[in-house]
Amino acid sequence: MAPERLFTVEELSVHYNKVTALDRVSFGVDRGDFIALIGVNGSGKTTLARSILGLLRYQKGRIVWHEDVEIGCVAQHTGVEDRNFPATVEEVVASGVRKSKPLPKWLNRHDKTHIRRMMEYFDIDAIAKKRIGALSGGQYQRALLARSMVMQPDVLILDEPINSLDQGSQKNFLDLLKQLNQEQDLTILMITHDVAGVEPYATRILYLETDLLFDGTFDEFCETQTLSPYIHTHPRRYGRGCS
Amino acid sequence: MSNLEQLLRAFEYGYMWRALLVGVSVSISSATIGSFLVLKKYAMIGHGLSHVAFAAVAIGLVLNQAPLLFSLPLVVLSSIIILKLNHTARLQGDASIALMAAFALALGTVLVSTSGGFNVDVYSYLFGSILTIRQTDVYFAIGFSVAVVAFLLVYFTQLFSMTFDEDFARITDVKVSRLNMVLAILTGVTVVVGIQAIGTLLISALIIFPIIIAMQFNRSFKGTVGIATVVSIASVVSGLLISFVIDFPSGSTIVLLNSLVFFIIYSLRTILGVR
Ligand SMILES: Nc1ncnc2c1ncn2[C@@H]1O[C@H](COP(=O)(O)OP(=O)(O)O)[C@@H](O)[C@H]1O
Ligand SMILES: [Mg+2]
């Protein structure tokens, strides 16, 4: 059975004033893909994610949606979010309530059950009434994940979601993503720094450096000669992943 | 005559009732709209508008126009401009608002001195004077606060979502720019409606203080906005009554009350080590 194409990025270019952040990037995403988008700082990863999410106006190229696709996102976690923001975990998760719901978007019993189930699934139901700013990094990211999953998206885009987490929480978070990917056929595009960590998870690697230099499997990525200088200059991060 | 007797006598005056009605209306809109502004880091809008409102009132006085009628379009327009400044030039946004505030204050002061200086009239617009409130002002204030509450009831979920995370709100089809615009307009109107009871220079305090006080209580978003509204109403009502008894400018009394409450709660929290 041919894979079901969800969207295609065609010759996408983005410039900020004089800086070229993306240069004619093209690739397609199929349902069920678990893509790790990697690249050094400033290589355009966030720009690409924001373009796909419709948060950014791009100058050239286009993004073609092949069907009515619902997207969720978990933005780059900086660890310096407003710790004093007065909102509970439950309120944040509830803000993912389906966008087709008519105004006023007051939650009915069905919505509330759905939201509670999501919090149970992501193991944050015990801290539902806690202030969002009081959470640990891992809990915070799971709350943002739950908020997006409340929308029941087809595609989830995550921007360095595990960067500021400790090792245990990183694994826990990636395991959750893999579970969603396999059990619910959720399509995942995850931006990450660390190719070493994603090997057991991602089915596809995109390597970005303003241009899209590589699109293929993990093994192919390690063998690709053109990228080896890059792997050499980052032996700790990339060499380990490929050995 | 004891203070209590005097307090009770306050309710015999029509202007006191008008002041209380306008005060409660303003406190509801300023606390709720203010909550979103402060949490979106737009607190400077209130500050800038305060000064613009002063300039607008001064222009109205010089031209012998009804100052409030005159201020309304000017302040609302400025509110929209400040919002745009805040957006297009993130870094310079604060500085632009500060410049705008200084310019408006200077302009207002010059206009006021050409027309007889800081007389009682000007003074009362600056710091609030309940004697100037007319019946039509009361209707307008009540109508406006009803509109604000209706708007909040319908859009609360979306306003919360975009206040917490604007990008996420956008991808869930929240019309962020449009709602920001509505917030800016409502802020402008709140400032103008609050001129008489609170005064142009102090109204921004009533936008900022209630939510800051409410945030000391560690509640949910809904709870915090609720507490802010209660704090706001309580401070305005008691401030108006106190200012009647001891003959202080009403706006100053209200702002001093808010400062006192904030100071007490903040100190208690610090001393008790509550997080
Ligand atoms: N808002 C912006 N204005 C100007 N330049 C930007 C902006 N955002 C990103 N850039 C530039 O675009 C390039 C790509 O940035 P980004 O997409 O954030 O990369 P990454 O997420 O891979 O670190 C960088 O050179 C960065 O400095
Ligand atoms: Mg980035």
Side-chain angles (χ1 to χ4, degrees):
Chain A
M1 197 176 74
E4 179 192 356
R5 181 53 55 93
L6 291 183
F7 67 93
T8 311
V9 176
E10 292 177 358
E11 299 273 309
L12 184 72
S13 295
V14 177
H15 311 275
Y16 298 107
N17 302 318
K18 291 227 162 71
V19 180
T20 301
L22 290 178
D23 190 16
R24 284 167 292 153
V25 168
S26 300
F27 63 98
V29 172
D30 297 330
R31 191 180 290 280
D33 277 350
F34 190 144
I35 299 173
L37 174 63
I38 60 172
V40 290
N41 265 333
S43 56
K45 304 184 297 296
T46 299
T47 303
L48 178 55
R50 291 177 62 82
S51 306
I52 297 170
L53 288 167
L55 295 171
L56 204 121
R57 231 173 274 152
Y58 40 89
Q59 285 82 8
K60 278 195 218 110
R62 54 183 194 150
I63 296 168
V64 182
W65 296 92
H66 297 276
E67 45 188 289
D68 197 11
V69 176
E70 187 93 47
I71 327 182
C73 76
V74 176
Q76 195 154 0
H77 182 57
T78 53
V80 293
E81 283 76 18
D82 187 357
R83 294 248 149 215
N84 287 318
F85 196 97
T88 60
V89 173
E90 192 174 26
E91 284 177 309
V92 170
V93 173
S95 64
V97 70
R98 75 196 154 85
K99 57 186 178 186
S100 58
K101 191 177 167 69
L103 288 169
K105 295 175 181 271
W106 298 341
L107 303 179
N108 56 31
R109 197 181 317 148
H110 174 80
D111 297 325
K112 285 180 181 158
T113 314
H114 178 55
I115 288 161
R116 188 155 16 84
R117 285 224 188 89
M118 280 299 159
M119 291 196 296
E120 281 163 11
Y121 187 91
F122 293 103
D123 196 24
I124 49 173
D125 50 320
I127 49 170
K129 303 280 180 204
K130 252 193 158 177
R131 194 159 40 83
I132 186 78
L135 266 48
S136 73
Q139 291 170 330
Y140 188 89
Q141 290 303 81
R142 288 208 302 279
L144 293 197
L145 185 56
R147 176 181 65 169
S148 269
M149 291 312 294
V150 164
M151 294 162 54
Q152 300 180 302
D154 305 285
V155 184
L156 189 61
I157 295 181
L158 306 102
D159 194 350
E160 307 199 16
I162 54 171
N163 249 21
S164 57
L165 307 187
D166 62 68
Q167 288 242 311
S169 315
Q170 289 195 353
K171 183 170 180 328
N172 172 283
F173 192 82
L174 289 173
D175 285 340
L176 267 175
L177 289 183
K178 190 73 191 169
Q179 197 175 321
L180 291 169
N181 174 244
Q182 289 181 337
E183 288 175 5
Q184 301 180 23
D185 216 16
L186 177 71
T187 308
I188 294 175
L189 176 65
M190 180 177 71
I191 295 175
T192 176
H193 249 43
D194 196 349
V195 77
V198 301
E199 193 268 329
Y201 302 96
T203 54
R204 224 174 117 190
I205 306 279
L206 295 184
Y207 175 70
L208 191 66
E209 209 178 279
T210 311
D211 302 287
L212 187 64
L213 292 185
F214 177 84
D215 179 356
T217 65
F218 182 77
D219 290 337
E220 288 163 358
F221 176 72
C222 290
E223 287 159 12
T224 302
Q225 292 300 308
T226 52
L227 292 174
S228 61
Y230 175 77
I231 293 170
H232 274 292
T233 51
H234 298 78
R236 203 180 57 80
R237 184 175 293 148
Y238 294 93
R240 177 166 47 111
C242 286
S243 62
Chain B
M1 192 163 57
S2 78
N3 281 348
L4 184 67
E5 281 171 48
Q6 210 172 344
L7 190 63
L8 292 176
R9 277 195 48 202
F11 296 101
E12 292 167 14
Y13 295 96
Y15 70 81
M16 195 63 210
W17 279 107
R18 290 198 291 275
L20 285 171
L21 287 171
V22 169
V24 169
S25 303
V26 172
S27 56
I28 292 171
S29 44
S30 67
T32 49
I33 300 293
S35 298
F36 294 105
L37 292 185
V38 170
L39 292 172
K40 285 167 72 63
K41 315 250 184 304
Y42 288 170
M44 283 296 281
I45 293 185
H47 180 76
L49 287 190
S50 273
H51 294 76
V52 173
F54 167 63
V57 165
I59 296 172
L61 287 174
V62 168
L63 298 179
N64 247 330
Q65 301 288 325
L68 293 191
L69 206 65
F70 205 78
S71 322
L72 196 60
L74 210 59
V75 173
V76 168
L77 184 70
S78 309
S79 188
I80 294 170
I81 292 173
I82 292 175
L83 177 84
K84 295 282 177 213
L85 282 177
N86 222 334
H87 254 259
T88 48
R90 264 259 166 241
L91 275 178
Q92 289 117 38
D94 269 8
S96 330
I97 296 168
L99 288 179
M100 191 163 170
F103 167 74
L105 188 59
L107 179 70
T109 318
V110 166
L111 287 176
V112 163
S113 28
T114 59
S115 65
F118 280 84
N119 53 25
V120 180
D121 232 15
V122 178
Y123 190 73
S124 68
Y125 281 116
L126 278 174
F127 306 108
S129 163
I130 54 180
L131 291 169
T132 57
I133 301 174
R134 292 158 307 157
Q135 197 62 34
T136 47
D137 299 329
V138 177
Y139 295 140
F140 185 75
I142 292 175
F144 174 64
S145 69
V146 168
V148 167
V149 170
F151 168 70
L152 292 175
L153 286 178
V154 173
Y155 286 97
F156 196 86
T157 309
Q158 300 202 326
L159 287 168
F160 166 73
S161 180
M162 76 179 213
T163 303
F164 180 69
D165 184 345
E166 203 164 292
D167 284 346
F168 184 81
R170 277 182 205 277
I171 73 161
T172 53
D173 283 356
V174 176
K175 303 283 175 276
V176 173
S177 310
R178 207 174 302 168
L179 286 176
N180 273 334
M181 182 71 81
V182 176
L183 279 181
I185 293 170
L186 294 180
T187 309
V189 182
T190 301
V191 166
V192 173
V193 174
I195 286 178
Q196 292 159 309
I198 324 287
T200 55
L201 288 188
L202 296 173
I203 180 71
S204 63
L206 206 58
I207 288 176
I208 299 169
F209 260 122
I211 181 67
I212 297 294
I213 291 173
M215 277 171 69
Q216 308 301 316
F217 290 97
N218 256 348
R219 285 299 180 89
S220 64
F221 188 78
K222 270 198 192 117
T224 306
V225 176
I227 292 176
T229 311
V230 171
V231 165
S232 182
I233 294 174
S235 73
V236 168
V237 169
S238 44
L240 286 174
L241 292 175
I242 292 172
S243 78
F244 174 84
V245 173
I246 54 182
D247 200 22
F248 278 2
S250 47
S252 313
T253 314
I254 290 165
V255 173
L256 284 177
L257 269 180
N258 271 294
S259 316
L260 187 69
V261 170
F262 175 72
F263 178 74
I264 290 172
I265 292 175
Y266 189 80
S267 310
L268 278 180
R269 259 180 48 131
T270 311
I271 292 166
L272 300 176
V274 189
R275 262 197 51 89

